[in-house]
Amino acid sequence: MTKLSVNINKVATLRNARGGNNPNVEKVALDCEAFGAEGITVHPRPDERHIRYSDVYALRPQLRTEFNIEGYPSDDFIDLVLKVKPHQVTLVPDAPDQITSNSGWNTKTNRTFLSELMETFGNAGIRTSIFVGTDIEMIEYAAKAGADRVELYTEPYASLYHKSPEEAIAPFVEAAKVVRKLGMGLNAGHDLSLENLKYFHHNIPWLDEVSIGHALICDALYLGLKKTIEEYKNCLL
């Protein structure tokens, strides 16, 4: 079964726009769980423009599903993850001022750096995932670094999907086959939506997890959060 992890960053962005605690990030996360999400994802950034470090600490004891913390492994981020001990940490190569993740790691160039992190987090009992594109060599070096899983960066798929679904999915299917052959778990995320998720999952049914935030929260404005989560889960059947 492919799990749906809801990224709640956009909920925190809305809260931060006015100050105060509306919407309540913790309540939304718990509601996502109650409505059927199998995980919650947060991506704290150095400027705390959406999810704050304090949110991460507050969420950990309340969540009953998988907790995934993603981000660039700065010293502060590493310290946060080791203290909170989520089920999974997903490492992304974001610059501090980056609006959103827009590329995967060069795992070959950063192999030593990533290997040390895999050992650090692994020793703490935290499952590791590295954000990568579909380049086969980058996937192979993620395995050499010791990652438990990789998360495929799916914006290229989403961008091409409307023009040619078959062309859009092809490199991801090949990449997913390599991931499976190497014995790693497989996650996916970035710009997956109700329009393109079902086709992606149909072609790669052995996905362990998809992490979806922006599109899901946008859909919830029209459908409501409960209905939206149900619709996304239906895409993963």
Side-chain angles (χ1 to χ4, degrees):
M1 183 186 74
T2 304
K3 293 181 178 180
L4 171 66
S5 184
V6 178
N7 186 319
I8 58 171
N9 275 25
K10 284 297 184 293
V11 178
T13 301
L14 183 59
R15 174 200 62 188
N16 296 351
R18 287 287 296 269
N21 196 34
N22 188 25
N24 185 312
V25 170
E26 295 168 41
K27 183 179 185 305
V28 172
L30 296 176
D31 285 342
C32 287
E33 290 187 323
F35 297 152
E38 293 94 358
I40 298 296
T41 292
V42 294
H43 187 151
R45 287 187 164 87
D47 61 5
E48 298 192 319
R49 64 180 179 269
H50 32 64
I51 286 292
R52 301 166 180 156
Y53 276 38
S54 59
D55 293 325
V56 180
Y57 286 113
L59 283 165
R60 183 64 177 102
Q62 300 185 66
L63 298 179
R64 295 295 175 263
T65 61
E66 281 212 349
F67 193 24
N68 172 47
I69 303 178
E70 62 181 27
Y72 179 81
S74 64
D75 289 343
D76 287 343
F77 179 85
I78 294 169
D79 181 64
L80 173 73
V81 172
L82 291 176
K83 288 178 178 176
V84 173
K85 291 191 176 180
H87 300 88
Q88 178 175 267
V89 58
T90 302
L91 303 185
V92 296
D94 285 356
D97 59 348
Q98 204 158 316
I99 294 176
T100 187
S101 305
N102 61 7
S103 65
W105 283 94
N106 184 325
T107 52
K108 184 176 182 179
T109 299
N110 293 284
R111 180 182 175 182
T112 299
F113 176 56
L114 292 170
S115 295
E116 292 172 353
L117 291 168
M118 298 303 100
E119 183 176 3
T120 296
F121 293 130
N123 287 340
I126 303 166
R127 186 173 67 237
T128 55
S129 179
I130 296 178
F131 198 59
V132 295
T134 55
D135 186 294
I136 301 304
E137 186 177 34
M138 296 300 105
I139 294 169
E140 291 172 341
Y141 271 89
K144 291 176 181 179
D148 297 310
R149 294 185 183 182
V150 295
E151 179 175 332
L152 293 178
Y153 166 57
T154 50
E155 183 180 11
Y157 162 76
S159 297
L160 187 57
Y161 175 79
H162 291 290
K163 179 180 179 182
S164 175
E166 297 84 1
E167 185 180 351
I169 197 64
F172 288 88
V173 172
E174 293 309 307
K177 289 178 179 177
V178 172
V179 173
R180 183 167 59 176
K181 182 179 179 181
L182 291 169
M184 291 187 292
L186 180 63
N187 300 338
H190 203 95
D191 284 356
L192 293 174
S193 68
L194 287 177
E195 293 180 298
N196 59 44
L197 178 59
K198 186 172 184 177
Y199 186 79
F200 191 90
H201 182 257
H202 175 76
N203 284 275
I204 312 174
W206 61 92
L207 276 167
D208 289 298
E209 173 188 293
V210 291
S211 175
I212 304 176
H214 183 80
L216 190 150
I217 299 303
C218 289
D219 289 331
L221 294 176
Y222 294 92
L223 301 176
L225 187 59
K226 185 176 187 293
K227 178 65 173 176
T228 298
I229 289 175
E230 290 172 353
E231 290 296 318
Y232 274 90
K233 284 172 64 67
N234 286 338
C235 292
L236 300 173
L237 295 177

